[in-house]
Amino acid sequence: MRFDATGKVTLDHIYNQPDPRAYFRELRKLDYCVPQQAKPYFAKLIEEYRDAAQVAVPKVLDIGCSYGINAALLKYDVTMDALYARYCDEHLGTGGQSGGGRRAEETPEALLARDRKLARAHRPARPVSFVGLDTSGSALAYALEAGFLDDIVHADLEQDDPSPRQRARFAGTDLVISTGCIGYVTERTLTRIVRSMGGHRPWMAHFVLRMFPFDPVERALEELGYSTVCVDDVFRQRRFASPQEQTQVLETMKEAGVDADGLEADGWLHARLYLSRPSGTAGWPWSPERLARESASALERRAGAPATPPTDEPK
């Protein structure tokens, strides 16, 4: 295994394949699940933006989108388990009369055709347009051809300002989301995206590994007119790939003063959710108090206890 400077295992190879199978097969071993946990939060934010801005089809920019996983979950209401089965198990067969065996694996072209059929057969669960931003051209091309993404931007905005063509594709973005890329993607990318839109300020929601500080991003967004709140709950991202990775990440967290007891120390990488909106947004619907209350209710429901009914909050 190769590791990056933070101690995390390097999984770059799974993002540059002609189709998503290597991505899902590798991450299934690690119980990668943060897109599924993010789904209801993103869905809630999309609905609230639609109501607040009176936008019929919000435009969402997914940073570090890879093969368009967040888009598939939100547009077509599929689940991570269904995608794992689709890309990891579809080649398994009955093997004829012997009762075992495997079917020949699909070609990338055949798999792409099957995913196009999925996109055509599923009426979007919610009207939304997805633009994917990533440094992997292969992943972007697949997600666009499959119909998961509606447009793509192949760029590294850590290194370069967006080109005029890329700025045109960012124009009109209503929400910016990410699941796990912040830390590798920094405030440089986010500020370049926002500044490319002139005076328009999209709402944002980022799931960020606890090992990475969000303070630099929050300060940069504040200078651009944003206010940020952090959800009290924490979210599992994936299991550690090896004891070595866990040891190295725990050391990184210790040096950063982040307490890993009961979370990363128990074998899972965890993320926090940060919500950033233009300061003074009328009818801010997710106050810190409401976030804490809804997080507590979600925990009670997962534990099987009756949830406390939320009190009405002015919009």
Side-chain angles (χ1 to χ4, degrees):
M1 288 184 179
R2 294 189 300 114
F3 299 90
D4 61 27
T6 68
K8 284 178 77 258
V9 67
T10 300
L11 298 171
D12 293 347
H13 63 287
I14 67 175
Y15 298 98
N16 290 294
Q17 303 299 314
D19 64 61
R21 284 176 288 198
Y23 174 95
F24 278 97
R25 288 172 185 171
E26 190 69 28
L27 291 178
R28 188 190 219 182
K29 300 174 189 174
L30 305 177
D31 291 326
Y32 176 71
C33 58
V34 73
Q36 185 66 44
Q37 297 192 73
K39 178 180 175 179
Y41 289 85
F42 289 157
K44 181 178 179 67
L45 193 66
I46 290 168
E47 293 302 322
E48 291 190 347
Y49 184 90
R50 180 183 288 115
D51 292 342
Q54 294 297 294
V55 173
V57 183
K59 180 177 178 178
V60 179
L61 174 64
D62 186 3
I63 302 177
C65 66
S66 68
Y67 293 92
I69 309 310
N70 288 323
L73 265 61
L74 287 159
K75 284 175 66 176
Y76 304 118
D77 207 24
V78 298
T79 65
M80 283 296 289
D81 284 345
L83 292 179
Y84 279 129
R86 184 176 190 82
Y87 297 118
C88 303
D89 298 339
E90 289 292 340
H91 64 289
L92 299 179
T94 60
Q97 294 182 356
S98 62
R102 303 159 74 90
R103 289 196 296 265
E105 190 163 272
E106 286 178 302
T107 64
E109 293 77 15
L111 180 63
L112 178 59
R114 190 155 58 87
D115 278 346
R116 286 179 182 149
K117 185 177 180 180
L118 168 71
R120 290 195 301 267
H122 281 64
R123 183 176 180 180
R126 50 188 61 83
V128 62
S129 173
F130 263 90
V131 178
L133 169 64
D134 207 287
T135 58
S136 171
S138 298
L140 286 172
Y142 188 93
L144 182 64
E145 286 294 317
F148 298 157
L149 296 177
D150 300 287
D151 203 352
I152 57 174
V153 178
H154 183 205
D156 182 353
L157 299 186
E158 289 295 295
Q159 303 297 325
D160 304 303
D161 287 320
S163 68
R165 185 175 182 181
Q166 290 164 353
R167 288 198 297 271
R169 287 176 171 170
F170 291 146
T173 295
D174 297 304
L175 303 108
V176 178
I177 65 172
S178 67
T179 48
C181 71
I182 302 295
Y184 306 103
V185 167
T186 71
E187 65 275 11
R188 287 190 293 275
T189 290
L190 293 178
T191 54
R192 282 170 168 158
I193 290 171
V194 173
R195 286 173 178 151
S196 75
M197 299 182 199
H200 179 62
R201 294 292 180 264
W203 292 9
M204 298 193 185
H206 301 291
F207 283 79
V208 183
L209 286 174
R210 291 188 342 113
M211 64 185 293
F212 295 125
F214 194 72
D215 294 354
V217 176
E218 183 173 351
R219 288 193 295 269
L221 291 177
E222 185 178 6
E223 292 178 2
L224 293 173
Y226 282 88
S227 296
T228 297
V229 294
C230 179
V231 175
D232 289 338
D233 205 356
V234 294
F235 305 86
R236 284 183 169 183
Q237 193 217 41
R238 65 165 173 84
R239 296 184 185 276
F240 285 105
S242 69
Q244 183 181 358
E245 183 189 33
Q246 182 178 15
T247 298
Q248 292 173 168
V249 168
L250 291 179
E251 184 60 31
T252 298
M253 298 182 72
K254 181 178 179 181
E255 292 174 358
V258 180
D259 184 6
D261 286 350
L263 297 170
E264 291 80 7
D266 288 349
W268 282 79
L269 285 160
H270 284 75
R272 302 294 299 270
L273 170 57
Y274 294 87
L275 299 167
S276 300
R277 305 192 196 196
S279 300
T281 298
W284 183 283
W286 282 10
S287 67
E289 294 78 14
R290 180 173 177 178
L291 285 170
R293 188 166 63 246
E294 292 187 357
S295 295
S297 296
L299 286 172
E300 289 175 355
R301 287 194 296 272
R302 286 200 293 270
T308 302
T311 58
D312 290 336
E313 182 175 36
K315 293 290 183 81

